Every structure is written in structure tokens, then in C-alpha cells.
């Protein structure tokens, strides 16, 4: 658009000089600085005066467009003017960005957006189709046919077969239909489904743990179709469709990553731009524009960088600004500082009436580097030269040496940052904690009503750490997902008990024990005192067991001694130290997760036998670790236990760093260990060790909070991150790894242990899928915002641990109507077996060791998308570590 004829031109000068200078640079920096494009800038909302809305919007958008256009687009951009309220601006954005842009500039393909657009179009055009049943097959056929119409890889499937008569014609026709037309489309649909679901859709709430694209869209389409059938402009349905389209587009605009040597990466020389006009509330197109901005705000919660620069110009409603987080109004000078920054809170800037009445500023045109040939040309040349060179080298090497070893990197070559969000997933510490506790409280009321009706009800105590006080503490603590798992099993137990007269309904008392469980012993003693006098209590208040603890610490080990001496049945959650079972604890404590001795053996074998350490100077070649740099905290029971057992099992050499930020080094660390209290000093010494012996793995057994401090210190120091660094850690790191906290750490390759398979893994059991579906529904029902722990195992562990205790209580009632704690201990000693959310659970009779061959997986963290690289134990009935071989087999 151009400015209104005869009026002032250019961007209104509200002290906007810095913004005018920074905008073209943020869109297309100098080629040598193209790494600046690795970020996702915030949404910029430029608010214009209401009295001159139309003319000023034309003027501002015209000034911005002039910077991006010179007889054709200079960079990929979309201009989204006000349209009718039923329009999906995300669709317009994808179409415009993908057309008319300079050739051979990244991004140049839109596979995620195009297939999602085809599926959304089918839903909008056929809202009544689901009345006839599932549309998964029709969605697949429609998407593949639309792909074939666009030509390319499936274009040949639209060709008609030879016209022959008789039996030969019949056979040729069948073969043509099957192998030329249908099979390629089926293979394309299968490949696309896997790519989209594994790439981003699987982590979206709408997927509900589903693994197949067309089935996911079929389930969602059934709901949206019903809404659109009744009202073609149903706002909730249009909002969800618009968000999915935009999320798919963001995925296409993100890939590939910026920089390094691959042609596709080197050709990301400009940032896509989206210019959105926002009419005043009630004006035509206002709903569509605000719907798009809401979609953007929600989609960016899970999208990974880099992202487009989005500028909205107009009159946003107060309701929209509230949904965007009530952004603080900034000046243009302040806003210009955020042009090349990372995805943060939206930026709101207002033009004054005085500025729009005066002449404005012209923006210089962006000047990105362009390329004359398709990126496949240099790729093909390099590939051919590489093949010829390798072939020639192979002929020589074959004569003088044995075949080359395999140096393929386990889990791929990507670092955490290459597929990461730019910022951690926001968390609502108190709100999420309170939501889980509230759910438990509501179930307790149900149980007490049942007790008043004569049903058997008893109480379980859940000892947890204190309420997280801020976002960082929440990321370092597994309390919230653990409480969610407990609440979920309690709800299922009470639901099932409606039709099961023999089931014992259970209340749950959640008892905080302080930060890092520092009050675990006093709280345990308090419970012992209470149960000794419980004969005077109501029957449903009688405690039949305890769920505890989530961490192995000296305090929790001592608390288990107290509970064991009182013979209170206790089921562990994620505490893994072997030492937790010592002394009196062995009388009443049943751990649930594999012990540190098992985990350390598997991790030591994995590190020493598998290619996980990037070879110096190479990103695509890896080798097994010859040396381990072990980071432990000797003052922490879990850390020193896991570190000691890993060093004993690791066949190579090791060097120990005893890291404690408060300077507590008692008990004494191993002989020869270096004690460090500063993250900066640890980074310095570790860099020195890595330079001396690059083929080393960093084995982390300290806590997640200390790990984050160390990672930031390494990144800030930057003296040894030119080559990727491999870190292998325990389950403690799941608390923070999956929240997207390690943004921009493109040197970090992270492996860590977990206690259930990711929902997207093909080996996952039906029970795990059912749990993930229930978990997603629980989170959607009780909280708001993206969930950082969708693939975390803490909730599944507490869910199954509560299942163990409730099953033992039910078995105890069969022989003891009073359901005493002694009878529960007898039932536990008799063995408990079931298929659970974490895999197959089987406690041996007369043995309170962890469940036999319990599931343990090693994950490769790719931002918020972990991938299982080692799967050990009975993740489903019939699976066995012995059959799985190294490193799982003892």
C-alpha cells in the first residue's frame, strides 16, 4: 500500500531513528553476520492513533514494505491486510511468504505448511463428513492428491496408464493403479506423517500423544467439523485451525539452522517478515487479525528458532493486549534494541498524533546476499567429489588396512540448540502446584463421601519438597509432575471403585518437607507419632502407606529409617541411590525406579562402547569416550552414589571434580578429586581437561541447578566450545532438560537417563500411550500454557508407584478387613505385578528391591523433543535386558 495521496510519507518520526536503522539490519544483516538470524524476535505491535487509523496504517505498512521490495521481493515477506472475519490469515501468510521471494534463498520449501493447509481446507470444506465416520483415510487421500497436483515427486502419479484391451489391459491397469498411482502416494503420506508428528505436532496438545498425522487430524476434525457445521464462523474452531497452520509455517521458516558449511544453512541470509494490519475492534477483519496474533503468541510457546519478524500495525483491542501478556509500552528507541533479540514478551509502541501529522523517515532497502543456482547444485558437486574421493581413498586403504570403523554419532549430530526453543517454556510455579493439590483435595472429598456411605476408605501420605517459589526452582524440581501423577492415579482409582466393591478408596495427604527435603526427618517422626494414636481417628484417616521420596538425600535416607522402624509401608518414586534401602528402611521401603548401581553400569557401558563424543574438528564423526570427566557433589547422597558407581564401571580413565556452590565438601570426595565452588572455575578447569584429552565425556551426577550454572559459565567463557561437548547425566537432568532451558547452546550434546519411553517412540507400550493421553487431558483441564514435562517421566513414576501401593492395599483387604499396615506389608512382600505407564512392573516375592528388570532409557535431548537412544528392561511385558544386549545386558 502507499500512503494516502497528498499526505505525509515515510515512517512517522516518533524518535524512530534507531528503529529505522535497525529494521533492515534485523531482516538482512551482512553475510558474515548471518548468525544473527538464529533468533526469534518478539512480536512488534505498532499502535496508531484512532482518529487517523486508515491513513496511518497505509503509511506505516507502505514504509516497511518499501524496504523489502524493489521491482520484486528482496526477502520472503507477507503483507496481511484486513479481510473478512472468517479468513485464516495464517493461510495467507504461508502462501505469500512462499511465493515471489528471491530464488535459492532459505527457506525455499514449505512441506509442513502445505500439508497442514490441505488438511485444514478439507475440514473447512467438509464439516459434515464426520457424521459418516472416521475421515482419516479421506484426509490422507486428499493431502496426497493435492501434493500430486503441485507436481514434483508425486506429479507422475496423475498420469493415465496405457490403454490396452482384454486381460493384458486389465492386468496393466491394476498394476498401474497400485504401483504408479496409489503406492507412491501412500509412501509419501506415511513419510510426511512421521516427519510432521515427530517434528512438532506430536508435542502439541491437539495430538494427545498420537503418532499418526491423519489420525490426529481426524480426531480433531471431528470436533472442529461439528462446530463449523453448526456455525461456519465458529470462533473457537477457526482459532485452532489458524494456530495449527501458523505453527506449521513456523516450522518451515525455522529449518534449516543458520550458518556452518551446508549450502541450505549458508543461504539463510534474510529473516522472513510478516506485516499484519489490525483494524479497530468491530471493524471488518478485526477478528481475523487478532485471531492471527493470538495464534502467533500461542504457537511461539513451542516453536523453535529461528523465527520470522512479525510487525502488527493498527488498533489492537484491550482484550488482545491482555492475552498477549499486557506488554509494557516502549519508545521506538527501546523497541529497536529488541529487533535482533530473542523471542520474548511482545513489544508495544504507539505513534503520537503529532508524529503522524509530520513528514516521516524512509527506510533503506534490505540487501541480502543472493545466489544464482539452486542449493542442490553445490550439494551435488560436493557429494560427487566426496564420493569420488572416498572411492579413491577406499581403494588405497583397502589394500593397506582393515575396513574403516563406524563413526556414526549415536542419536545424530545435532546439538540441543539446533532444534531448541530460543527461551525456556514459561512455567507458573504456584499456579501449577496449587492446581495439582486442588485436584487431590477434590478427590479426597469424593473419598470421604464414599466413607460416609459405608465404603472402605484409607489414607496415603505423599511426602514432597516445598512449593517451588519461582520459575527456576520449578525447573530444578520434579514436584509438580510428581503431584500430577499422584492426582491422576487417585482419580482413576476412585472412578474404578464405583463399580468395584472390593476396592479400597484412598485419600492423599500432601505434606511438604521443605526445600530439598530438609525437614524430611521431622515430618516422618510427626507421622509416626500420629499413626501411633490413630485408634481414636476416623477410619478413613488411618494411614496405610507413604509415597516418598523423589530425591536421594541424606535427609530422605534418614527419614526412611524412621518410617521403617515404625513399619509404615513406603513406595519410592524417583529416589535411586542403593543406600536408601539400608538399615531399618529395608523393613518397609519398596523402591520403584532402577537403583544407581544399575543405571551407572548401563551408562558406563554406553559411554565407553558407543560413538557419543564428537571427534575434534568434526561435527558428523563421533567415537566412544576414552576418558570420563566426572562432576559430582560429595555432600549429596545421590550424586556421590551415582558418581562412585559410574567410575567403578567405566573402563577408561576418569577425573573427578567435586562441585558444590555453597562450598560443602563433606563427606570428603574421592582421592585426587578437585573441589570447586565456582561454576566459572569449574568451566575453566573442565576446558583445560577437554583440551588435553578431547575424546572425553562429561559425566554429570550433581543436581540440575548446578548443571545449569555450569552450562551458562561454559557458554559465557567460550574458550573450549568450538567443538561440541558431550554430557551424559542421570535422571536428575530431566527436571530441566525438557523445559528448553539450554537455549542457544549449540555446542552441547546431552544424553541422560529417564524412566519411561517418549510417547513418540515406536517401542512405547499401549499403557504408556494411554497414560500420555490422560496426562495431556489432565494438564489441559487443570492449567494453562505449554507444559514443559510432556515427555518427562516423573509423573508416570508417581502414577505407577501409587498404583503399586493401591494394589497392595486391595490385596491386604482380602485377608484383613481392617486393612492394617502390617497386612499391606505382607501384600507387598507377596509381589505386585502389572503393566504400567512406565512399562512392566514386577516386584519379586519376598524381595523389596526395585521391580525386576525395570525400564531405564537413555535419551538424547533435542530441545523439548527427547529421543531414546538406549532402551533397557521390561518397557513392555516380554521385553528383557538380556535379549536387548549391550549396554542393557548385565
Amino acid at each position: 500500500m502507499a500512503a494516502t495521496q497528498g499526505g505525509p510519507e515515510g515512517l512517522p518520526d516518533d524518535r524512530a531513528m534507531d528503529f529505522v536503522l535497525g529494521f533492515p539490519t534485523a531482516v538482512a544483516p551482512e553475510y558474515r553476520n548471518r548468525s544473527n538470524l538464529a533468533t526469534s524476535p518478539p512480536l512488534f505491535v505498532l499502535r496508531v492513533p484512532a482518529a487517523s487509523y486508515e491513513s496511518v496504517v497505509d503509511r506505516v505498512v507502505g514504509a516497511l514494505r518499501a524496504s523489502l521490495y524493489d521491482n520484486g521481493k528482496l526477502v520472503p515477506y507477507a503483507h496481511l491486510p484486513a479481510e473478512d472475519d472468517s479468513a485464516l490469515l495464517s493461510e495467507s501468510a504461508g502462501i505469500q511468504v512462499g511465493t515471489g521471494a528471491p530464488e535459492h534463498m532459505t527457506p525455499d520449501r514449505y512441506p509442513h505448511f502445505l500439508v497442514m493447509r490441505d488438511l485444514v481446507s478439507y475440514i473447512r470444506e467438509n464439516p459434515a463428513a464426520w457424521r459418516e465416520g472416521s475421515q482419516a483415510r479421506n484426509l490422507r487421500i486428499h493431502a496426497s492428491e493435492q501434493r500430486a497436483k503441485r507436481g514434483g515427486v508425486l506429479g507422475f502419479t496423475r498420469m493415465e496408464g496405457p490403454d490396452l484391451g482384454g486381460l493384458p489391459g486389465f492386468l496393466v491397469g491394476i498394476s498401474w493403479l497400485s504401483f504408479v498411482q496409489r503406492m507412491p502416494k501412500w509412501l509419501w503420506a506415511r513419510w510426511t506423517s512421521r516427519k510432521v508428528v515427530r517434528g512438532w505436532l506430536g508435542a502439541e496438545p491437539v495430538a494427545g500423544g498420537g503418532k499418526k498425522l491423519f489420525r490426529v487430524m481426524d480426531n480433531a476434525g471431528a470436533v472442529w467439523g461439528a462446530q463449523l457445521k453448526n456455525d461456519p464462523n465458529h470462533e473457537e474452531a477457526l482459532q485452532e485451525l489458524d494456530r495449527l497452520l501458523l505453527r506449521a509455517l513456523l516450522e518451515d521458516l525455522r529449518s534449516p539452522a543458520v550458518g556452518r558449511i551446508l549450502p541450505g544453512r549458508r543461504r539463510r541470509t534474510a529473516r522472513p517478515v510478516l506485516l499484519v494490519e489490525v483494524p479497530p475492534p468491530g471493524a471488518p477483519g478485526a477478528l481475523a487479525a487478532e485471531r492471527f496474533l493470538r495464534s502467533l503468541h500461542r504457537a511461539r510457546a513451542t516453536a523453535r528458532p529461528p523465527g520470522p519478524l512479525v510487525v502488527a500495525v493498527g488498533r489492537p483491542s484491550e482484550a488482545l493486549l491482555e492475552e498477549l501478556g499486557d506488554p509494557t509500552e516502549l519508545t521506538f528507541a527501546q523497541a529497536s534494541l529488541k529487533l535482533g533479540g530473542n523471542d520474548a514478551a511482545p513489544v508495544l509502541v504507539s505513534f503520537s498524533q503529532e508524529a503522524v501529522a509530520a513528514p516521516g523517515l524512509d527506510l533503506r532497502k534490505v540487501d541480502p546476499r543472493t545466489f544464482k543456482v539452486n542449493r542442490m547444485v553445490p550439494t551435488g558437486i560436493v557429494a560427487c567429489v566426496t564420493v569420488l574421493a572416498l572411492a579413491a581413498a577406499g581403494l588405497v586403504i583397502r589394500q593397506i588396512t582393515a575396513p574403516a570403523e563406524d563413526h556414526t554419532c549415536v542419536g545424530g549430530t545435532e546439538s540441543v540448540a539446533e532444534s531448541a526453543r530460543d527461551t525456556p517454556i514459561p512455567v507458573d510455579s504456584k499456579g501449577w502446584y496449587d492446581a495439582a493439590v486442588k485436584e487431590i483435595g477434590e478427590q479426597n472429598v469424593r473419598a470421604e463421601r464414599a466413607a460416609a456411605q459405608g465404603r472402605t476408605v484409607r489414607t496415603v501420605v505423599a511426602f514432597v519438597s516445598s512449593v517451588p517459589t519461582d520459575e527456576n526452582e520449578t525447573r530444578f524440581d520434579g514436584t509438580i509432575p510428581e503431584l500430577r501423577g499422584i492426582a491422576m492415579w487417585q482419580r482413576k482409582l476412585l472412578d474404578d471403585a464405583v463399580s468395584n466393591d472390593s476396592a479400597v478408596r484412598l485419600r492423599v495427604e500432601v505434606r511438604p518437607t521443605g526445600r530439598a527435603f530438609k525437614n524430611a526427618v521431622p515430618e516422618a517422626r510427626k507421622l509416626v507419632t500420629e499413626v501411633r494414636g490413630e485408634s481414636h481417628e476416623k477410619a478413613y484417616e488411618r494411614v496405610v502407606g507413604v509415597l516418598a521420596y523423589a530425591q536421594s538425600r541424606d535427609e530422605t535416607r534418614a527419614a526412611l529409617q524412621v518410617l521403617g522402624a515404625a513399619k509404615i509401608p513406603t513406595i519410592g518414586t524417583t529416589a535411586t541411590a542403593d543406600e536408601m534401602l539400608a538399615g531399618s528402611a529395608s523393613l518397609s521401603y519398596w523402591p520403584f525406579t532402577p537403583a544407581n548401581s544399575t543405571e551407572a553400569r548401563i551408562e558406563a557401558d554406553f559411554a565407553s562402547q558407543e560413538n557419543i563424543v564428537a571427534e575434534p574438528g568434526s561435527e558428523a564423526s563421533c567415537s566412544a569416550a576414552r576418558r570420563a570427566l566426572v562432576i559430582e557433589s560429595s555432600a549429596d547422597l545421590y550424586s556421590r552414589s551415582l558418581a562412585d558407581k559410574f567410575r567403578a564401571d567405566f573402563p577408561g580413565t576418569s577425573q573427578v571434580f567435586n562441585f558444590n556452590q555453597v562450598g560443602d565438601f563433606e563427606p570428603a570426595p574421592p582421592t585426587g578429586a578437585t573441589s570447586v565452588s565456582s561454576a566459572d572455575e569449574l568451566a575453566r578447569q573442565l576446558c583445560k581437561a577437554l583440551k588435553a584429552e578431547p575424546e572425553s565425556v562429561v559425566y554429570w551426577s550433581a543436581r540440575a541447578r548446578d548443571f545449569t550454572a555450569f552450562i551458562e559459565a561454559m557458554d559465557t567463557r567460550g574458550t573450549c566450545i568450538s567443538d561440541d561437548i558431550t554430557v551424559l547425566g542421570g535422571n536428575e537432568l530431566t527436571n530441566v532438560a525438557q523445559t528448553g532451558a539450554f537455549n542457544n547452546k549449540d555446542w552441547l550434546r546431552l544424553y541422560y537417563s529417564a524412566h519411561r519411553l517418549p510417547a513418540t517412540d515406536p517401542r512405547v507400550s499401549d499403557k504408556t500411550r494411554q497414560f500420555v493421553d490422560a496426562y495431556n487431558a489432565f494438564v489441559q483441564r487443570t492449567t494453562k500454557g505449554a507444559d514443559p514435562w510432556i515427555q518427562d517421566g516423573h509423573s508416570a513414576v508417581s502414577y505407577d508407584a501409587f498404583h503399586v501401593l493401591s494394589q497392595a492395599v486391595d490385596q491386604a483387604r482380602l485377608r484383613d478387613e481392617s486393612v492394617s499396615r502390617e497386612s499391606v506389608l505382607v501384600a507387598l512382600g507377596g509381589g505386585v505385578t502389572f503393566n504400567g505407564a512406565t512399562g512392566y512392573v514386577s516386584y519379586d516375592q519376598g524381595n523389596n528391591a526395585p521391580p525386576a528388570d525395570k525400564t531405564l532409557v537413555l535419551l538424547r535431548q533435542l530441545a523439548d523433543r527427547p529421543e531414546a537412544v538406549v532402551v533397557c528392561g521390561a518397557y513392555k511385558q516380554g521385553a528383557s535386558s538380556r535379549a536387548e544386549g549391550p549396554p542393557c545386558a548385565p
Side-chain angles (χ1 to χ4, degrees):
M1 289 186 178
T4 303
Q5 186 175 4
E9 297 182 355
L11 192 77
D13 187 7
D14 248 328
R15 298 185 178 181
M17 179 62 73
D18 291 337
F19 188 87
V20 167
L21 292 174
F23 178 82
T25 301
V27 174
E30 292 186 18
Y31 186 64
R32 66 175 180 270
N33 297 328
R34 65 188 183 281
S35 60
N36 294 338
L37 297 172
T39 61
S40 293
L43 164 66
F44 288 82
V45 181
L46 309 185
R47 185 163 53 185
V48 304
S52 50
Y53 159 77
E54 187 172 350
S55 61
V56 178
V57 167
D58 288 353
R59 177 181 172 185
V60 172
V61 173
L64 296 175
R65 285 188 65 194
S67 177
L68 310 174
Y69 188 89
D70 187 10
N71 294 321
K73 291 183 178 180
L74 297 173
V75 298
Y77 79 85
H79 170 212
L80 307 176
E83 299 186 14
D84 65 279
D85 288 328
S86 65
L88 300 182
L89 294 192
S90 294
E91 182 175 7
S92 300
I95 294 172
Q96 288 189 43
V97 169
T99 56
E103 290 186 325
H104 317 313
M105 177 185 289
T106 302
D108 54 4
R109 295 176 297 160
Y110 298 84
H112 295 274
F113 169 76
L114 290 174
V115 71
M116 192 56 64
R117 183 192 65 173
D118 294 337
L119 297 176
V120 167
S121 296
Y122 182 90
I123 294 172
R124 294 194 73 184
E125 293 168 5
N126 304 278
W130 277 266
R131 304 182 90 183
E132 302 173 3
S134 171
Q135 295 295 304
R137 181 174 181 273
N138 291 336
L139 286 167
R140 173 174 59 81
I141 293 173
H142 175 76
S144 59
E145 181 61 26
Q146 294 304 308
R147 179 62 185 87
K149 287 182 179 179
R150 290 192 289 270
V153 68
L154 291 186
F156 72 93
T157 63
R158 295 173 56 80
M159 296 170 55
E160 294 296 329
D163 187 10
L164 302 176
L167 181 60
F170 173 77
L171 295 176
V172 169
I174 291 294
S175 300
W176 188 274
L177 180 66
S178 300
F179 298 107
V180 177
Q181 294 183 337
R182 290 184 176 175
M183 181 176 288
K185 292 178 181 178
W186 180 84
L187 291 173
W188 172 86
R190 185 178 178 88
W191 175 78
T192 298
S193 174
R194 179 182 177 85
K195 179 178 65 176
V196 172
V197 173
R198 290 174 66 90
W200 61 275
L201 184 60
E204 296 293 317
V206 69
K211 296 172 58 180
K212 296 183 178 181
L213 167 64
F214 304 105
R215 187 172 298 172
V216 167
M217 295 302 293
D218 177 46
N219 293 335
V223 178
W224 299 332
Q227 293 173 324
L228 294 172
K229 179 181 177 298
N230 297 328
D231 177 8
N233 295 326
H234 194 286
E235 185 55 34
E236 182 182 5
L238 294 180
Q239 181 70 73
E240 290 302 312
L241 293 172
D242 190 72
R243 187 186 68 82
L244 268 188
L245 278 172
L246 186 55
R247 180 62 184 85
L249 177 61
L250 293 180
E251 194 67 18
D252 288 327
L253 297 182
R254 181 197 71 82
S255 183
V258 179
R260 303 198 180 181
I261 64 171
L262 297 180
R265 295 181 172 193
R266 296 179 66 83
R267 291 170 184 238
R268 185 180 288 278
T269 59
R271 190 191 308 279
V273 180
L274 306 180
L275 304 176
V276 189
E277 294 186 15
V278 187
L287 286 178
E290 297 202 350
R291 183 187 308 129
F292 176 84
L293 296 181
R294 281 194 298 270
S295 297
L296 178 73
H297 189 61
R298 290 176 57 194
R300 278 187 163 175
T302 57
R304 296 164 287 178
L309 174 59
V310 184
V311 182
V313 186
R315 295 290 301 174
S317 67
E318 292 302 320
L320 174 64
L321 293 177
E322 182 178 352
E323 291 185 59
L324 297 180
D326 282 326
T328 303
E329 189 166 340
L330 304 180
T331 65
F332 271 102
Q334 294 169 322
S336 66
L337 299 177
K338 298 180 179 292
L339 278 168
N342 288 322
D343 189 6
V347 174
L348 175 64
V349 187
S350 295
F351 290 103
S352 66
Q353 189 63 51
E354 295 78 10
V356 301
L361 302 172
D362 293 329
L363 284 77
R364 65 178 173 85
K365 295 190 183 297
V366 299
D367 186 23
R369 180 168 178 176
T370 57
F371 300 86
K372 295 182 178 180
V373 296
N374 188 286
R375 63 189 175 88
M376 297 307 296
V377 173
T379 301
I381 294 173
V382 171
C384 290
V385 171
T386 302
V387 169
L388 291 174
L390 290 176
L395 291 174
V396 176
I397 294 174
R398 182 177 298 178
Q399 298 176 16
I400 61 176
T401 188
E405 296 180 356
D406 180 15
H407 288 277
T408 303
C409 301
V410 174
T413 61
E414 287 187 315
S415 69
V416 170
E418 284 175 309
S419 50
R421 289 171 45 85
D422 193 62
T423 57
I425 297 174
V427 298
D428 177 8
S429 308
K430 188 175 185 304
W432 292 357
Y433 181 96
D434 290 345
V437 172
K438 179 183 177 183
E439 178 74 10
I440 292 172
E442 292 173 356
Q443 302 310 316
N444 287 343
V445 172
R446 288 181 62 192
E448 290 165 13
R449 284 201 300 263
Q453 297 169 1
R455 303 297 186 185
T456 302
V457 180
R458 294 294 183 266
T459 294
V460 168
V461 172
F463 284 129
V464 298
S465 62
S466 59
V467 182
T469 57
D470 58 34
E471 287 196 1
N472 282 331
E473 186 176 340
T474 302
R475 294 188 179 99
F476 305 142
D477 186 280
T479 299
I480 291 173
E482 182 174 359
L483 284 173
R484 287 172 174 173
I486 291 172
M488 288 171 61
W489 180 257
Q490 185 186 22
R491 183 183 183 91
K492 176 172 172 51
L493 176 67
L494 296 179
D495 288 346
D496 292 348
V498 172
S499 58
N500 185 355
D501 293 337
S502 64
V504 178
R505 295 163 171 83
L506 295 176
R507 297 171 65 251
V508 178
E509 289 184 10
V510 178
R511 300 194 181 186
T513 60
R515 186 176 183 180
F517 297 92
K518 67 178 180 179
N519 299 323
V521 173
E523 287 296 327
R525 288 174 177 160
K526 179 180 176 181
L527 176 62
V528 170
T529 300
E530 291 173 3
V531 298
R532 286 173 177 166
E534 70 184 359
S535 58
H536 305 294
E537 301 293 334
K538 299 174 183 177
Y540 68 73
E541 294 180 343
R542 295 176 186 170
V543 175
V544 292
V546 167
L547 294 169
Y549 293 92
Q551 295 180 0
S552 303
R553 296 183 178 271
D554 290 329
E555 295 85 352
T556 55
R557 179 176 61 172
L560 286 177
Q561 304 295 311
V562 174
L563 298 174
K567 295 185 177 179
I568 298 176
T570 304
I571 306 299
T573 51
T574 50
T576 56
D578 300 63
E579 294 83 350
M580 298 290 281
L581 255 176
S584 300
S586 62
L587 301 175
S588 68
Y589 177 58
W590 268 257
F592 183 79
T593 47
N596 280 355
S597 54
T598 299
E599 178 178 329
R601 174 186 57 77
I602 291 172
E603 290 172 341
D605 289 348
F606 174 71
S608 61
Q609 297 174 17
E610 302 294 335
N611 296 335
I612 63 171
V613 178
E615 294 182 348
S618 172
E619 292 183 357
S621 184
C622 294
S623 62
R626 299 178 180 177
R627 184 188 191 203
L629 304 176
V630 180
I631 318 300
E632 70 164 88
S633 176
S634 64
D636 186 326
L637 172 62
Y638 161 82
S639 180
R640 68 174 181 267
S641 167
L642 188 61
D644 288 348
K645 293 172 175 58
F646 177 85
R647 288 189 299 108
D649 289 326
F650 185 74
T653 60
S654 62
Q655 181 177 353
V656 179
F657 297 87
N658 188 28
F659 179 45
N660 189 301
Q661 295 192 78
V662 298
D664 184 2
F665 302 118
E666 296 294 333
T671 303
T674 302
S675 294
V676 181
S677 60
S678 164
D680 292 331
E681 178 61 15
L682 177 63
R684 187 188 71 80
Q685 298 208 29
L686 207 65
C687 282
K688 182 179 178 180
L690 286 168
K691 288 179 179 178
E693 202 159 340
E695 292 183 345
S696 300
V697 63
V698 177
Y699 184 75
W700 191 273
S701 72
R703 293 292 175 179
R705 179 176 179 273
D706 296 328
F707 180 68
T708 302
F710 158 72
I711 292 297
E712 295 299 337
M714 286 287 284
D715 197 66
T716 300
R717 187 175 184 82
T719 58
C720 64
I721 59 176
S722 56
D723 291 318
D724 286 0
I725 297 174
T726 298
V727 176
L728 172 62
N731 176 66
E732 170 75 5
L733 296 187
T734 65
N735 294 346
V736 66
Q738 296 181 10
T739 65
F742 305 132
N743 55 311
N744 294 335
K745 306 304 183 288
D746 59 0
W747 49 268
L748 174 61
R749 299 188 184 188
L750 179 60
Y751 301 84
Y752 58 92
S753 65
H755 295 125
R756 80 160 173 85
L757 278 166
T760 55
D761 193 282
R763 294 161 290 192
V764 72
S765 69
D766 290 337
K767 282 293 182 181
T768 301
R769 289 195 186 94
Q770 291 173 12
F771 169 80
V772 171
D773 290 344
Y775 176 84
N776 291 336
F778 177 88
V779 172
Q780 287 181 333
R781 180 170 55 84
T782 59
T783 63
K784 295 181 179 180
D787 175 40
W789 302 296
I790 189 172
Q791 301 291 9
D792 181 58
H794 283 78
S795 55
V797 166
S798 60
Y799 181 88
D800 279 355
F802 199 0
H803 186 173
V804 171
L805 183 56
S806 69
Q807 185 167 315
V809 170
D810 286 345
Q811 292 174 0
R813 184 177 182 244
L814 297 177
R815 61 177 67 92
D816 176 13
E817 281 290 325
S818 67
V819 198
S820 65
R821 287 183 293 278
E822 292 76 12
S823 62
V824 175
L825 288 175
V826 171
L828 287 169
V832 174
T833 301
F834 59 87
N835 264 320
T838 59
Y840 188 64
V841 178
S842 178
Y843 284 94
D844 293 335
Q845 293 186 12
N847 186 351
N848 61 341
D853 210 13
K854 187 70 187 68
T855 301
L856 182 78
V857 299
L858 297 185
L859 300 178
R860 173 83 145 84
Q861 184 63 32
L862 304 176
D864 53 350
R865 180 174 61 84
E867 289 188 1
V869 293
V870 172
V871 183
C872 298
Y875 48 89
K876 61 181 178 181
Q877 190 170 2
S880 166
S881 289
R882 292 188 179 276
E884 290 149 4
C888 299

